[in-house]
Amino acid sequence: MEHYDYGYYDYNESSTSVNDAETFCDNSKVTDFKGVYMPSLYAIIFVAGLLGNSLVIVIKVLYEKLKTITDLYMMNLAIADLILLCTLPLWAVDAQIGWTFGTFMCKVVNGVYTVNFYSCVFILTCVTINRYHAIVQATKMLQYKIIHGMFICGGVWVLAIILSLPEFILSDTNVDDPGKITCRMNYPPNSKIFKVGVCVTQMVVGFLIPFVTMIICYTIIAKKLLQAKGFQKHKSLKIIVAVVTVFMICELPFNIALLLQTLQIVSEESRSCEYYANINYAIIVTESIAYIHCCLNPILYVFIGVKFRNNFWKILKDVGCISQKQLHVYLKIECETSQQRSCVSETTVSPL
């Protein structure tokens, strides 16, 4: 996923085209908006995502001991979210004063950012398929062991790195007209097809395929749950609707903006400066909305589970925030409100 520089456009083409007219547009308003909007929002996303995903990793590793494939997926998702979030402070600084971290860090940060974008989406797809097997094909699910999950996660990271090679190779620092240093992709001359290919790959592999997979799998899962009875059926259906809705709200606007930018690249039609500015505004806002998904993943996939909440209370007890007696009360309340047949009775855990 290419991290876009919005204040100044240069497609780096040796030949002149009508799209080059955008180079001469005054993008100072876009740059000013970017310098105020991005750092403030990125700070909120960074803090919220850091707390939520760190908590997921602590509980999955120290309390749940990675016993299932789902635990493994959740930990890898949290790691991918965390690493992606850790790039946001650098992009926030870039938005305000420009890129001050050098060419090497430009390549590393842009590449790492893209690796974790792809890995997040791929792991979410794996979680979707895993839920499909667990609910719709429960008997087959018994054949899967955590070692299979390790190979799948390894394949996800390798594929994400391969898809991110353009960012690692082509990212470079540039000095714009106002003298501001930026970090962005420097495509070779006459490489419009390659640039379009990178954008299309991101839209198809990074959004369309995972989204279609979610729709198909969760539709089948929903039909299966509708045939079941009990309280958990309604809760599971609500979770499914929430997962698909949040993914669509967070990711679809950015991919629409990316599509408009891709069409702008391939089009030979001259556009006004206002049109280019609107595309820039759209990408700035929608890309930041996509980042919010990193904060919501722990809530959608982990926090709403009774088992995770029980372990959260145990963490508070281990660090001294609540007593053993209070822990027992909270676990009892969780047991009663969840309406489960079997509840957690063990309230003593090893300290961190």
Side-chain angles (χ1 to χ4, degrees):
M1 180 179 180
E2 178 184 347
H3 191 90
Y4 297 90
D5 178 71
Y6 316 94
Y8 176 79
Y9 259 91
D10 182 3
Y11 293 132
N12 208 19
E13 301 282 355
S14 58
S15 59
T16 304
S17 68
V18 291
N19 279 338
D20 290 334
E22 186 185 3
T23 302
F24 303 103
C25 294
D26 181 10
N27 289 313
S28 58
K29 291 184 178 180
V30 176
T31 303
D32 292 342
F33 173 76
K34 172 186 170 185
V36 175
Y37 174 83
M38 289 175 61
S40 55
L41 185 61
Y42 281 10
I44 297 173
I45 295 174
F46 175 74
V47 173
L50 184 66
L51 292 175
N53 288 287
S54 298
L55 188 59
V56 170
I57 293 175
V58 169
I59 289 180
K60 291 298 178 183
V61 174
L62 298 182
Y63 287 81
E64 298 184 5
K65 307 297 183 183
L66 297 178
K67 296 178 181 178
T68 67
I69 294 180
T70 300
D71 291 338
L72 188 64
Y73 286 157
M74 291 300 99
M75 188 192 70
N76 276 269
L77 179 61
I79 291 173
D81 282 340
L82 273 179
I83 299 176
L84 192 148
L85 287 166
C86 286
T87 67
L88 295 189
L90 300 180
W91 295 123
V93 173
D94 174 61
Q96 280 197 318
I97 63 175
W99 188 262
T100 60
F101 308 103
T103 301
F104 176 75
M105 283 299 294
C106 174
K107 292 180 179 293
V108 170
V109 173
N110 218 5
V112 168
Y113 165 93
T114 309
V115 168
N116 289 279
F117 162 77
Y118 278 118
S119 60
C120 287
V121 176
F122 293 161
I123 293 171
L124 287 176
T125 307
C126 290
V127 171
T128 301
I129 296 173
N130 183 62
R131 284 182 169 176
Y132 169 81
H133 284 305
I135 297 174
V136 179
Q137 299 178 328
T139 54
K140 293 184 178 181
M141 191 63 189
L142 298 175
Q143 303 173 8
Y144 293 90
K145 298 180 181 179
I146 194 168
I147 187 67
H148 299 124
M150 292 180 179
F151 279 111
I152 292 173
C153 289
V156 162
W157 287 100
V158 170
L159 179 58
I161 291 172
I162 293 174
L163 291 171
S164 304
L165 287 178
E167 278 73 15
F168 281 111
I169 296 172
L170 299 178
S171 294
D172 201 358
T173 53
N174 303 268
V175 180
D176 288 344
D177 280 349
K180 182 180 179 181
I181 300 176
T182 61
C183 171
R184 65 171 182 260
M185 298 274 283
N186 272 354
Y187 290 93
N190 302 315
S191 61
K192 181 179 293 186
I193 295 178
F194 179 69
K195 182 179 177 73
V196 171
V198 172
C199 293
V200 170
T201 299
Q202 178 182 329
M203 287 185 288
V204 173
V205 180
F207 173 75
L208 185 60
I209 293 177
F211 182 65
V212 171
T213 302
M214 281 188 176
I215 294 296
I216 294 174
C217 289
Y218 282 132
T219 299
I220 298 173
I221 291 172
K223 290 181 178 179
K224 182 77 173 181
L225 290 173
L226 287 172
Q227 298 172 1
K229 298 180 180 180
F231 169 79
Q232 291 298 323
K233 175 188 74 172
H234 302 289
K235 183 178 178 181
S236 298
L237 288 172
K238 289 179 181 179
I239 293 173
I240 288 174
V241 172
V243 166
V244 175
T245 302
V246 168
F247 184 85
M248 185 170 63
I249 291 175
C250 290
E251 303 294 343
L252 182 59
F254 176 65
N255 280 272
I256 292 175
L258 185 60
L259 176 61
L260 292 175
Q261 190 200 50
T262 304
L263 294 175
Q264 166 192 318
I265 295 173
V266 300
S267 174
E268 294 298 328
E269 182 182 353
S270 180
R271 303 284 186 177
S272 66
C273 288
E274 183 181 2
Y275 174 85
Y276 293 125
N278 289 336
I279 291 291
N280 286 340
Y281 282 126
I283 290 182
I284 291 172
V285 175
T286 56
E287 189 176 27
S288 62
I289 292 174
Y291 288 138
I292 298 176
H293 209 186
C294 296
C295 306
L296 299 179
N297 281 335
I299 298 174
L300 289 172
Y301 292 91
V302 183
F303 287 4
I304 53 180
V306 176
K307 184 179 178 182
F308 185 89
R309 292 201 300 269
N310 287 341
N311 284 319
F312 173 71
W313 294 122
K314 292 175 183 178
I315 287 181
L316 294 182
K317 181 262 177 186
D318 285 342
V319 298
C321 294
I322 62 175
S323 66
Q324 179 71 36
K325 184 177 180 180
Q326 289 174 315
L327 173 61
H328 180 76
V329 172
Y330 290 136
L331 293 181
K332 185 177 180 181
I333 294 173
E334 289 286 0
C335 172
E336 293 173 349
T337 56
S338 66
Q339 298 186 16
Q340 292 182 345
R341 293 180 181 179
S342 58
C343 298
V344 178
S345 59
E346 182 64 43
T347 58
T348 58
V349 291
S350 300
L352 291 173

